[in-house]
Amino acid sequence: MGAGQPDYDKDAPLRLETAAKIAFPDGTMGAKGLRKERDRGRLATEIIAGKEYTTLAAIGEMRRLCCVQAKERPGRANDQFGRKPDGSSSTDAVEIAQAACEAQLERLKNTFKNAPKNTPRRRP
């Protein structure tokens, strides 16, 4: 992997907490987050002897599925060499952040749309 870290077989089964520590060394993802991604259908896991495992390859696929592409704005075309116009880097960052927020909003909408209705119905 990196300097000072052992190399791992990308297809070796790893417990979720261990896999999270390896794939997200900054500590921003844990077993709970991986379980959420499993429940969303983006992370393949397997249960062996009552213990849940995943692989680094499966986490790589999950990351690919979670990748958010920024929308291309009209009038912001690349030049003939594929370069963005000058001054567009901060705009790109805003577009990426906006696209990520929109994707999160869609996920939340779908979550609430599919959630069971727990409130009793009022009589007219």
Side-chain angles (χ1 to χ4, degrees):
M1 299 223 90
Q5 290 184 339
D7 288 331
Y8 291 93
D9 178 356
K10 66 181 179 71
D11 295 316
L14 299 167
R15 295 291 299 271
L16 296 184
E17 192 60 42
T18 302
K21 286 179 183 176
I22 295 167
F24 300 91
D26 63 353
T28 57
M29 179 69 73
K32 183 177 179 180
L34 292 179
R35 281 191 288 276
K36 284 183 180 181
E37 291 304 313
R38 173 208 59 205
D39 294 345
R40 291 177 180 137
R42 293 188 286 233
L43 178 64
T45 65
E46 51 194 62
I47 297 176
I48 303 170
K51 296 177 175 80
E52 192 166 20
Y53 296 88
T54 192
T55 65
L56 295 178
I59 290 176
E61 176 64 12
M62 174 199 74
R63 291 181 59 209
R64 188 189 67 75
L65 293 171
C66 292
C67 188
V68 177
Q69 297 294 322
K71 295 178 184 175
E72 185 67 34
R73 283 190 171 176
R76 299 292 292 181
N78 296 342
D79 68 9
Q80 64 183 359
F81 302 107
R83 296 179 300 213
K84 293 278 188 186
D86 289 339
S88 67
S89 61
S90 64
T91 303
D92 289 346
V94 170
E95 289 175 356
I96 291 169
Q98 183 176 5
C101 290
E102 290 171 356
Q104 179 66 17
L105 180 60
E106 281 303 310
R107 285 192 292 269
L108 289 171
K109 283 181 183 177
N110 290 334
T111 299
F112 287 114
K113 191 184 305 180
N114 298 328
K117 306 293 186 238
N118 293 332
T119 57
R121 296 183 185 258
R122 293 184 183 178
R123 294 184 184 191

